[in-house]
Amino acid sequence: MYHDKRMKDIEKKIDEYRMKVKDSGDLKAESGVFDAPTLKTLYTLASKGIIKAMGGVVSTGKEADVFHALGEDERELAIKIYRITTSDFQKMQDYLIGDPRFEGIRGTKKDIVFAWTKKEHRNLERAMEVGVRVPRPVTSERNILVMEFIGKDEVPAPRLKDVRPEDPKGIYSKVAEYMRLLYQKARLVHGDLSEYNILLYEGEPIIIDMGQAVMLDHPMSSEFLARDIRNIVKYFKKMGVDCSEERLNAYIMKKD
Ligand SMILES: Nc1ncnc2c1ncn2[C@@H]1O[C@H](COP(=O)(O)OP(=O)(O)OP(=O)(O)O)[C@@H](O)[C@H]1O
Ligand SMILES: [Mg+2]
């Protein structure tokens, strides 16, 4: 076949990954991520020319694994692969409910994970459109989201959690502005915002992990916002920034 080589490269990378996984005795990751349908989806993305080569694992988690990859023009990509077998469907369904964009998504676990992947893609697009710095989404296909890799030469940017920012006050102001833009312009609440889901790249905060973000008319959106505010204020207070939940809330709510 004409795209044989590309596929072989991907296969090889995946085999290497499997080997690594086997060596560490962690078979869960292996069976959870690269099931046959996921492999097929990776092949589809490769045959469309979106993925040129798979790289190493960036992160393995409960719901998803993130890999490094190369795309067109050697551009670095992050490939987020949601697990079909081990994801928390109940939770996903709760977050999909009340979202007019995904009304009536029921069906199999697979359908829910696919809708979830698309939801993260759309949320990233929406956030980007209103000026929030997020990884630029490239495409999504079934349970795989392809996006801009935040980092350089296969090294991902650290999470806020992993570093002590030089200018915590400046970073706080940006994060507060992003929360406000999300709320006022995109009509979204992140829903899992904390130092775990903000990367620091070239001195700039970048918001990630938007799968669970909900629109303002979601029944839990106020609670999610209150929790996001609590997390952010707690973290930046620890970094010595003068901030409070009340003031951040007022700033987010302020209409201009
Ligand atoms: N676009 C990206 N560029 C670089 N690194 C990324 C990117 N997206 C995610 N990562 C890395 O992968 C990790 C997990 O990604 P993310 O937070 O989106 O998944 P998650 O839903 O939290 O997964 P889980 O909660 O199951 O671990 C992040 O903490 C970050 O280190
Ligand atoms: Mg995360």
Side-chain angles (χ1 to χ4, degrees), residues 129-146:
E129 275 162 20
V130 301
V132 176
R133 184 67 174 99
V134 295
R136 172 186 289 271
V138 173
T139 191
S140 57
E141 180 102 26
R142 294 161 72 92
N143 59 324
I144 300 182
L145 170 67
V146 181

Side-chain angles (χ1 to χ4, degrees), residues 58-68 76-80 82-83 91 116 120 124 134-136 145-152 155-159 162 192 195-199 206-212:
V58 173
S59 155
T60 58
K62 256 193 351 264
E63 312 285 340
D65 297 310
V66 178
F67 296 83
H68 180 271
E76 296 189 85
L77 301 172
I79 313 286
K80 185 169 182 178
Y82 279 100
R83 291 156 186 276
K91 195 183 126 210
W116 187 260
E120 173 152 32
L124 288 173
V134 295
R136 172 186 289 271
L145 170 67
V146 181
M147 61 187 143
E148 171 194 2
F149 180 75
I150 307 297
K152 207 175 181 316
V155 182
R159 303 172 300 178
D162 307 315
D192 192 18
E195 63 274 30
Y196 287 86
N197 283 328
I198 302 175
L199 303 182
I206 297 170
I207 310 285
I208 62 163
D209 204 358
M210 303 258 322
Q212 71 295 314

Side-chain angles (χ1 to χ4, degrees), residues 103-145:
E103 212 71 86
I105 289 288
R106 258 163 222 82
T108 62
K109 292 178 171 187
K110 226 170 53 187
D111 295 326
I112 294 167
V113 175
F114 294 171
W116 187 260
T117 308
K118 197 173 279 161
K119 181 166 175 263
E120 173 152 32
H121 182 177
R122 297 259 186 92
N123 287 341
L124 288 173
E125 260 167 11
R126 242 175 129 96
M128 205 177 67
E129 275 162 20
V130 301
V132 176
R133 184 67 174 99
V134 295
R136 172 186 289 271
V138 173
T139 191
S140 57
E141 180 102 26
R142 294 161 72 92
N143 59 324
I144 300 182
L145 170 67

